[in-house]
Amino acid sequence: QLQLVESGGGVVQPGRSLRLSCAASGFTFGRYALHWIRQAPGKGLEWVAFISYDGNTEYFADSVKGRFTISRDNSKNTLYLQMTSLRAEDTAFYYCARDRGHDAPHFMDVWGKGTPVTVSS
Amino acid sequence: EIVLTQSPGTLSLSPGERATLSCRASQSVRSSYLAWYQQKPGQAPRLLVYGASSRATDIPDRFSGSGSGTDFTLTITRLEPEDFAVYYCQQYGNTPPLTFGQGTKVEIK
């Protein structure tokens, strides 16, 4: 079945880095664009980043621009989020999600269960 | 950036009642590119509606979306126990960035 499984979350000190991964199965990974979305404790959903099916187009929320990078390895069916210069306000549950389309952001039709990131000293 | 404002913040209803959730955009959403998601505690969001009114796969027909321009509505005709959750709208007509509303919680009265 369609599945996205995030990993790599944890507790990290402010200013440090962390890399999240998202392993996909059950669909042709290389045909779909992907997103990272986060949810701070008790808060709503915040879109973080987008990458097109071929990795050639990327978009970021202003709150993470210049600190986070998104990438994908279509040979490994895996999406990544490299987070640097982490701040307390980056504390959240991070979800990866499949976009319905290929090369522009649309809506998300498959979601992973998420991985928690806590930025604290 | 399009700001989405959902109302009410909380909706207290009984099973079997009708729920009407609103999502208002700060500017017109191109091509009615608006989606709705349901999120239950401890779970990931689930896509309900896209394109303002198209139900996603396996979504019961008691869920329906409508609207265009700046005003959108999600209606649940007869609430089932499993429908009590938080609902988010999201626009994808004017991106980046993708934006979400702040959510409406549908709780049991």
Side-chain angles (χ1 to χ4, degrees):
Chain A
Q1 71 278 24
L2 304 177
Q3 195 169 13
L4 296 168
V5 179
E6 302 90 340
S7 61
V11 179
V12 60
Q13 293 179 327
R16 304 297 291 266
S17 300
L18 199 64
R19 188 178 82 157
L20 305 182
S21 300
C22 172
S25 60
F27 64 97
T28 306
F29 182 78
R31 291 185 181 174
Y32 291 91
L34 297 159
H35 300 263
W36 287 100
I37 296 104
R38 68 185 181 183
Q39 187 169 35
K43 302 297 184 182
L45 301 170
E46 179 189 16
W47 171 76
V48 173
F50 164 90
I51 188 166
S52 61
Y53 73 105
D54 56 3
N56 286 339
T57 301
E58 302 170 3
Y59 299 121
F60 296 92
D62 285 347
S63 58
V64 307
K65 203 172 292 182
R67 299 188 299 122
F68 290 11
T69 57
I70 188 171
S71 61
R72 62 189 297 162
D73 186 336
N74 286 349
S75 69
K76 295 182 178 179
N77 289 355
T78 304
L79 171 71
Y80 303 99
L81 184 69
Q82 179 69 48
M83 304 184 292
T84 65
S85 302
L86 282 161
R87 306 167 180 168
E89 53 265 35
D90 296 318
T91 294
F93 224 74
Y94 284 74
Y95 296 100
C96 70
R98 188 183 81 169
D99 192 282
R100 183 68 172 265
H102 308 287
D103 55 5
H106 297 89
F107 54 90
M108 292 71 96
D109 63 350
V110 181
W111 293 67
K113 295 184 185 301
T115 188
V117 172
T118 301
V119 183
S120 173
S121 54
Chain B
E1 171 178 331
I2 291 184
V3 176
L4 299 177
T5 302
Q6 293 186 240
S7 61
T10 302
L11 201 50
S12 299
L13 295 168
S14 301
E17 290 194 294
R18 180 187 186 94
T20 303
L21 288 66
S22 172
C23 177
R24 179 161 291 178
S26 60
Q27 56 186 280
S28 184
V29 177
R30 181 178 66 91
S31 303
S32 296
Y33 281 169
L34 187 111
W36 290 93
Y37 301 86
Q38 176 193 67
Q39 188 179 33
K40 298 179 182 178
Q43 296 185 19
R46 176 175 72 144
L47 176 68
L48 298 176
V49 169
Y50 61 93
S53 60
S54 297
R55 264 190 305 275
T57 304
D58 295 332
I59 300 303
D61 61 6
R62 63 180 181 274
F63 291 91
S64 65
S66 62
S68 63
T70 61
D71 289 301
F72 299 87
T73 300
L74 178 71
T75 302
I76 311 170
T77 51
R78 294 171 309 280
L79 282 165
E80 297 287 340
E82 62 267 28
D83 299 336
F84 292 91
V86 179
Y87 293 84
Y88 295 95
C89 57
Q90 174 238 324
Q91 69 82 24
Y92 53 101
N94 304 67
T95 61
L98 290 175
T99 52
F100 290 92
Q102 82 280 17
T104 289
K105 182 179 181 180
V106 178
E107 65 175 22
I108 299 177
K109 187 174 182 180

